[in-house]
Structure formats: C-alpha cells, structure tokens
Amino acid sequence: MSHYSSYQPIGTKLLTKSFLFLGVIAAIGIYFMAQRFIHGMGAVSNLNGGYPWGIWVVYDVVVGTALACGGYALAITIYVFNKGEYHPLIRPAILASLLGYALGGFGALFDMGRWWQFYNILLPWNWNFNSVMLEVGLCVFTYIMVLLIEFAPVPFEKAGKAHKLKSLNKVLFFFLALGVLLPTMHQSSLGSMLIVMGYKIDPLWQSLQLQPLLAILTAIIMGFSVVIFEASMSTVGLAQPAETPLLQKLAKAIVWLVSLYLLVRFGELLLRGKLGLLLHANLNTLMFLIETALFVVPLLILKDPLKRSSAKLLLIAGMGLLLAGSLYRFNAFLIGYNPGPGYSYFPSAPEIMVTLGVIAIEIMAYLTMVKIFPVLHRAKHA
C-alpha cells in the first residue's frame, strides 16, 4: 500500500492551555536570547575562562542532538536492517529530529563570542582543519539539510503534489543513506571531544579511545527511547492509536544496546583500575551512581516480556533512558569537567530560561506540525 494515504493531520484545536503556557516560557526565553545578542554573552550567562561551555552548548548540542536521534535510530532499523514494519513511526521521528537539530544549531549561536561570524562555516578557505568542532558543525549543518529533504514528502502530500512526491521518492534513498552516515560521524566526534579535554574530565567519564563508541551507543539508545516517548505521549496527549506492539519490539533492541553500553562502561573501569573511585564520597561518584541507576532500572523493566507489554511501563522505561543518556552527557561534559583551581560555574537564571525557551519552542513547533500536516500514522480500521 502506498504511504501517500497512511498518515493524517490530527486537526484538533491548536491554542490549548498547555500550548499557551509553553508560549509564555518561549517568550521569556526569546527575551533573554535578545539580551544575549544585543548586550553580549556576559550580560546573561555565568560563562568564564575556565568554563567556556555552559548549559547552552551541553544541552543544545551535546544532549539535544542525541535527544533528536529518533530519526537516525529508526533509519538504521528500517533502511539498514530492512525492518519496514516500523514505517508508521518514521515521520514523527524525522520531524522531532529536524526540530531538535535545527534548534540545536541555532542554540550553538548563543555560545559563539562573535556570533555574527557564523557564515564562515560555509567558506572552506576559512575552515580550521585541526578542529573537531569543524567536523561536528559541518555534519550538523548538512544533516539539517538532509532532514529537510527527508521530511519534504509531508508538505508535498499536504499540498497534493503527487508528481513531486514521486520524483522525490526516486532520489530519497541517497539522502536516507546520508541520514545514517552524518549522525554517526558527528555523534562519534562529540565523544572524541572528550578525548581532547584529557585530564580535565573526571576518570569516571574519561574513557579515551572508547568515547566515540559510547557517544554513538548513547545516541542510538536515546533515539529509540525518544521514539517510545513520542509515540506514548501521542497516544495519551493527542488521542492517537497505541503503537505498543511496535514499541515492544523496539524495546527488545534497547535491551541489547543498554547491556552492551554497561558492559563497555564497566569493563573500561575494571580494566583500567578505576572501580575504586566509586568508593569516594563526592559529587562525581554520586552522579555516576544516579546515572547508572537510570540505565539499569529501565533495563530491568524492558528485559521482562510481561512488563514490556505494558504501555505505562514502556513510557517509564523510555523516560528513564532519556534521563540516563542526558545525565551521562551532562556528567561527562559539565559536571565531571574540572578546568583547574579558581574556576566555578553554575548556570544563571537567564541561561536556564533560554534553554527552557528552546525546549518550549520545539514542543510548540512539533504540536503545530502534527496538527496541520500528515505526520502521525492513520489508525487502521477493521
């Protein structure tokens, strides 16, 4: 059956109370964004010489792009492993990826001291080929373009442009391949950035050569988890048909991925003699234990076939893994980062409000799109 008729817009009222609440959060965030661009970074942030990266880069780029890996994880599942049964989940996942990466790229502007020079990323003769950030920036920029093309069938379908949809489908395979390659490259490079930071990263998170592997594993785990989260929230909040049977199968893949992640994580600590660090009574040890618990509890839920069949427990496990992956990245890049004596950092209220504003804008854009465009899968009737 053609996918042309397999999706539909929700078509319900857009301006709900929750949407307006998000609008208030977004407006506050936009106000502080304007302050940052008009008066400079120091006017709204607590960044300093020791902490040139704060919550903006760590959330928007490091965590936010992993939260936006649903399209990446499903593309691997559907197009690399030929599991076409997951097609009903792909459009909302690509939309969330597009919004997440686009806002992540925009958010990276906040942390550029001379943000008006951003166009240099488009000028090869100005590139710094010794910078890992160059590869990350180029991949993120290109992936946003790829996601726009992958999402193009949705507006074409909405506009009734069947001939354009047919032409696009003939070349879409090339962009789908890029959609798998680019996140693999920049997610692994984000891990490589921790290698560059060397001794400044606490040994509990400094795994050196294993950083790229751990970055990709957490990105895919978070990608699958966000698909479960989105599908579950669509069922609960938007009265869409439950996709529990499909989510159960994804959950089985997550079990293997989380098990592999924990094996690599603790194997590295064991082989390099770092397990004794877990006996130290300090903040880093506490954060490591919380992070590990957030991986292990969902793993125990998803390993049990009976619990895996519960939509409620699936949602809890998915949310747990999103928190786990996010905390792993916050720990590695911010909490477990020590630039040396004399420096400290805690995000200012405007920094937090900008981040919350970005999240609110993303959710509002997602709700708007699924209510107007054919993004969510159409319910099957007997």
Side-chain angles (χ1 to χ4, degrees):
M1 183 176 69
S2 168
H3 296 297
Y4 188 77
S5 60
S6 297
Y7 302 87
Q8 64 178 357
I10 297 176
T12 55
K13 188 172 72 172
L14 182 60
L15 295 178
T16 61
K17 288 181 181 177
S18 56
F19 191 89
L20 293 173
F21 174 75
L22 289 169
V24 173
I25 301 295
I28 296 172
I30 290 170
Y31 168 78
F32 286 118
M33 289 178 206
Q35 294 295 309
R36 179 265 174 268
F37 288 124
I38 295 171
H39 301 295
M41 200 179 296
V44 294
S45 80
N46 285 340
L47 297 176
N48 53 62
Y51 285 90
W53 287 4
I55 189 174
W56 289 342
V57 164
V58 175
Y59 176 77
D60 295 330
V61 178
V62 178
V63 176
T65 57
L67 290 171
C69 274
Y72 167 54
L74 277 186
I76 294 174
T77 306
I78 295 173
Y79 303 111
V80 176
F81 292 99
N82 198 26
K83 300 289 185 182
E85 65 198 280
Y86 294 102
H87 260 295
L89 304 174
I90 191 68
R91 281 194 180 180
I94 289 177
L95 173 60
S97 295
L98 175 59
L99 294 172
Y101 269 92
L103 287 173
F106 178 63
L109 276 176
F110 305 151
D111 252 6
M112 289 184 187
R114 292 183 290 177
W115 57 270
W116 55 89
Q117 299 281 343
F118 74 92
Y119 63 86
N120 282 299
I121 197 170
L122 302 175
L123 307 177
W125 51 89
N126 285 339
W127 289 353
N128 176 6
F129 290 97
N130 294 318
S131 171
V132 180
M133 280 298 285
L134 172 65
E135 191 264 344
V136 174
L138 288 176
C139 281
V140 169
F141 176 78
T142 309
Y143 187 47
I144 292 170
M145 299 299 110
V146 168
L147 285 168
L148 279 171
I149 295 171
E150 288 182 350
F151 193 69
V154 176
F156 284 161
E157 189 175 311
K158 172 73 175 177
K161 303 290 185 183
H163 60 290
K164 289 187 177 179
L165 188 60
K166 190 175 179 181
S167 300
L168 178 62
N169 283 336
K170 290 179 181 176
V171 297
L172 202 54
F173 71 93
F174 173 72
F175 296 98
L176 291 171
L178 281 178
V180 172
L181 175 65
L182 292 170
T184 303
M185 290 173 64
H186 69 251
Q187 288 295 335
S188 61
S189 292
L190 284 176
S192 299
M193 292 172 74
L194 291 172
I195 302 175
V196 175
M197 295 180 194
Y199 66 89
K200 293 181 180 179
I201 305 299
D202 188 280
L204 287 173
W205 290 279
Q206 183 51 280
S207 55
L208 298 175
Q209 299 90 341
L210 293 174
Q211 295 285 14
L213 174 61
L214 291 172
I216 291 178
L217 279 175
T218 52
I220 297 176
I221 290 169
M222 293 170 74
F224 280 135
S225 301
V226 84
V227 169
I228 291 176
F229 177 76
E230 289 165 3
S232 301
M233 292 308 292
S234 294
T235 302
V236 175
L238 301 174
Q240 294 301 294
E243 302 282 4
T244 306
L246 277 180
L247 301 182
Q248 279 180 259
K249 293 180 181 177
L250 279 186
K252 289 171 71 175
I254 294 176
V255 169
W256 285 102
L257 288 166
V258 175
S259 299
L260 176 59
Y261 166 81
L262 291 173
L263 180 66
V264 173
R265 194 90 166 85
F266 279 88
E268 190 270 338
L269 292 177
L270 175 65
L271 292 176
R272 289 187 170 143
K274 297 191 286 188
L275 281 177
L277 295 172
L278 299 180
L279 300 176
H280 295 179
N282 56 38
L283 175 64
N284 288 346
T285 301
L286 175 64
M287 297 308 295
F288 179 89
L289 293 176
I290 295 173
E291 171 196 309
T292 302
L294 286 169
F295 276 108
V296 171
V297 172
L299 176 64
L300 295 176
I301 293 175
L302 298 179
K303 276 187 68 176
D304 187 330
L306 188 61
K307 293 177 180 174
R308 207 162 52 223
S309 63
S310 162
K312 182 180 177 182
L313 289 177
L314 270 177
L315 176 59
I316 291 172
M319 291 175 65
L321 287 171
L322 289 177
L323 289 173
S326 300
L327 187 58
Y328 165 72
R329 291 178 176 229
F330 267 111
N331 283 338
F333 280 86
L334 200 57
I335 298 171
Y337 172 78
N338 183 2
Y343 294 107
S344 63
Y345 169 77
F346 190 83
S348 66
E351 282 181 271
I352 295 172
M353 289 312 303
V354 166
T355 300
L356 293 177
V358 168
I359 296 171
I361 291 170
E362 183 175 352
I363 296 173
M364 291 170 70
Y366 182 87
L367 290 173
T368 302
M369 294 294 285
V370 299
K371 290 185 178 182
I372 295 175
F373 290 92
V375 175
L376 297 181
H377 195 245
R378 189 187 297 275
K380 290 182 179 178
H381 300 287

